[in-house]
Amino acid sequence: MFTSPSQLKLINDWEKVNENVEIIVAVDIGGSGLRIRISNLHNETQFLDLGHVRAQTTEETITVFQNLGQSLKEVIPAFVSKAGALAVAGPISNGKVVLTNWIGPPADRTLVLDELPEVIFPKGKTLFLNDLEAGAYGIIAAQHLGELASHFTQLWSFGPNSQPQPLIANRTAVLAMGSGLGAAIILHTPLIPDPIVMPTELGHIQISVACDHDPNHQIEHDLIQHVSNHYHAGKQAPEYEDIASGRGLSLTYQYFMIKRQGKKIPVENINAGDVAKSAKEGDPVAREALKWHYLIFMRAAKTIATSLSCETILLALDNQVKNAWFVQAIADELKDEFNNFIRPDLVKGIRVYAQTETLNFNILGTTYMAKQLCK
């Protein structure tokens, strides 16, 4: 059981409409399971987090949802679910998603909106969101709640007299490294009252490489060739995600172990989390790998922000928080990388923020979008 009946009974005390408790259901589907939040549609201060529920297949997930719906009907007969939103990792098409952070055949990793129990996920009022898309909507929600600024720090300012500026501007790029490199754009336009999020596949842009007279040309060339050899038969420049991701950090560490110690460790034996931990403990090879991992990440941020005329960049989500100590330690090098651009007028004034405190933006974002569906 994901929660006790006594916990669910608390919902009976929530604000009602015509004697019904009108709820919305938000779900963050991770690699090991689900996080579920039930909220009062009419009072954002009334919500219940059910904690982490283990589910890693279609059948397990549907069973959790069915059990939740049945428990709600038994404990709170007067509840009505008005909308639902689910954050997922994987391609979404026509109300269907194949989860990429679960293992097994596609049939065991597929969710279909119309097959979710309607008692908590009403048809026409439930949607899937790409996980970073949900995170970006969560950033919007945190801004509305006044919680955003305390979770980010500006990596560099523009002089002693510069004034604090809002983290979300007319165009804001949100980037996050995990198993891949996610990028989304938050857009404000006078045409509609609320900001919208544009999910992208910009992490797959090919890396722009340094030329011969750059002081880091040789080491960068050799690293990129190493990555290209692994993924692209040495014929094409890698994409940003090939270095700015968990798998990219593992491959970058492999390269620097070869270069600094003459040892080639099979990349499948290199865990990105262990590399970051070793860097924190002072391992020079791990620190060098982590530095290039972040330099390429910053180059991706610069490429995306300048191409789409963004005013702010948010480097977000859990891995960013875990490595905040390192990002601060190399902030000057990251600034130099960001400003090293053929059109310096385009990067001038772009504000870059890094997340430093954990907050489940995916749950905030799915809650926000479920509420939007009720308007």
Side-chain angles (χ1 to χ4, degrees):
M1 184 65 173
F2 42 79
T3 190
S4 68
S6 61
Q7 286 179 296
L8 289 179
K9 283 181 180 178
L10 296 173
I11 298 175
N12 277 312
D13 298 327
W14 287 1
E15 180 182 331
K16 296 179 175 62
V17 175
N18 297 325
E19 299 187 355
N20 289 326
V21 180
E22 296 188 343
I23 66 169
I24 52 178
V25 179
V27 184
D28 180 19
I29 301 181
S32 61
L34 319 174
R35 296 191 184 277
I36 304 173
R37 172 173 290 187
I38 301 170
S39 303
N40 188 332
L41 173 60
H42 304 286
N43 187 337
E44 64 186 17
T45 67
Q46 295 179 331
F47 61 87
L48 177 64
D49 287 325
L50 303 186
H52 184 269
V53 187
R54 183 173 178 80
Q56 295 175 293
T57 67
T58 304
E59 182 179 1
E60 291 173 352
T61 300
I62 296 297
T63 298
V64 169
F65 293 153
Q66 290 172 336
N67 289 343
L68 175 58
Q70 185 61 37
S71 296
L72 284 168
K73 287 194 293 185
E74 292 173 359
V75 177
I76 311 152
F79 95 93
V80 178
S81 180
K82 304 298 287 186
L86 304 91
V88 297
I92 302 168
S93 178
N94 298 319
K96 177 179 176 180
V97 61
V98 180
L99 280 294
T100 56
N101 54 351
W102 291 350
I103 60 174
D108 292 341
R109 298 184 285 112
T110 299
L111 292 175
V112 180
L113 283 178
D114 287 344
E115 296 176 1
L116 302 179
E118 193 171 0
V119 65
I120 56 174
F121 298 114
K123 285 183 170 56
K125 293 290 184 179
T126 301
L127 82 166
F128 290 134
L129 296 169
N130 168 275
D131 49 2
L132 186 60
E133 180 184 12
Y137 276 117
I139 285 169
I140 295 169
Q143 178 94 318
H144 288 173
L145 295 169
E147 298 178 1
L148 187 61
S150 62
H151 289 79
F152 284 83
T153 186
Q154 189 169 350
L155 288 186
W156 55 83
S157 61
F158 300 101
N161 297 319
S162 60
Q163 297 298 312
Q165 299 290 326
L167 274 69
I168 299 179
N170 288 328
R171 295 186 189 182
T172 297
V174 182
L175 285 86
M177 289 191 290
S179 57
L181 171 58
I185 309 299
I186 299 175
L187 300 171
H188 282 262
T189 168
L191 299 176
I192 55 176
D194 297 311
I196 61 171
V197 171
M198 181 176 70
T200 78
E201 295 294 339
L202 293 173
H204 300 300
I205 296 174
Q206 287 181 290
I207 297 172
S208 60
V209 297
C211 292
D212 286 356
H213 298 294
D214 184 281
N216 292 317
H217 163 71
Q218 194 59 57
I219 192 169
E220 178 178 320
H221 173 273
D222 293 348
L223 168 62
I224 287 177
Q225 188 64 56
H226 178 80
V227 174
S228 177
N229 291 345
H230 184 83
Y231 285 117
H232 310 292
K235 296 178 180 179
Q236 295 176 308
E239 60 189 21
Y240 281 107
E241 185 177 289
D242 287 338
I243 295 179
S245 63
R247 61 181 175 82
L249 178 56
S250 297
L251 193 56
T252 302
Y253 180 76
Q254 181 192 57
Y255 164 74
F256 280 108
M257 280 296 293
I258 295 170
K259 184 173 182 64
R260 302 305 181 201
Q261 298 186 14
K263 300 177 182 177
K264 184 173 183 178
I265 304 172
V267 72
E268 60 270 19
N269 294 341
I270 302 172
N271 179 276
D274 291 342
V275 174
K277 182 180 177 182
S278 295
K280 194 168 187 178
E281 293 170 351
D283 180 341
V285 176
R287 287 181 73 94
E288 192 169 17
L290 194 60
K291 183 182 81 169
W292 277 95
H293 174 69
Y294 269 98
L295 288 173
I296 297 300
F297 184 38
M298 186 59 70
R299 192 175 302 176
K302 170 177 59 180
T303 300
I304 291 167
T306 54
S307 299
L308 297 175
S309 300
C310 296
E311 297 143 289
T312 59
I313 298 170
L314 305 183
L315 310 179
L317 303 189
D318 289 352
N319 285 326
Q320 188 64 45
V321 175
K322 292 174 185 176
N323 294 327
W325 66 274
F326 188 75
V327 172
Q328 290 297 321
I330 65 167
D332 288 343
E333 291 176 85
L334 294 176
K335 180 181 179 181
D336 290 342
E337 168 59 45
F338 191 78
N339 289 327
N340 181 20
F341 194 56
I342 58 173
R343 289 287 303 277
D345 54 309
L346 295 184
V347 297
K348 183 180 180 181
I350 297 177
R351 303 188 302 279
V352 182
Y353 300 88
Q355 188 176 342
T356 55
E357 298 290 338
T358 300
L359 187 63
N360 192 330
F361 287 113
N362 283 7
I363 281 291
L364 287 178
T366 46
T367 301
Y368 175 88
M369 286 302 292
K371 190 171 184 177
Q372 293 291 104
L373 289 173
C374 297
K375 289 186 174 181

